[in-house]
Amino acid sequence: MPRALPARRISRHRLMLHRPPPRRSVSQPVRTSDLVLALLGVVLLGGFALLAAYALTSGMLVP
């Protein structure tokens, strides 16, 4: 039974070189602004959670 594909590899034009991804040996330091934004997000989410808990326990949905 003949093979469907030839045994040898077919040459392709414009072959791309295989380049490994660049390695980062030193990690970048965390910026202070990222920490401030993360803390602000946590505080806002906590505030909304407390406000929702107060509204549900007091029986009023709109103050």
Side-chain angles (χ1 to χ4, degrees), residues 16-41:
M16 296 189 68
L17 296 176
H18 175 69
R19 295 183 183 168
R23 296 182 182 178
R24 293 183 180 178
S25 59
V26 178
S27 62
Q28 296 179 354
V30 178
R31 293 183 297 187
T32 307
S33 60
D34 291 341
L35 293 175
V36 169
L37 286 175
L39 183 61
L40 181 64

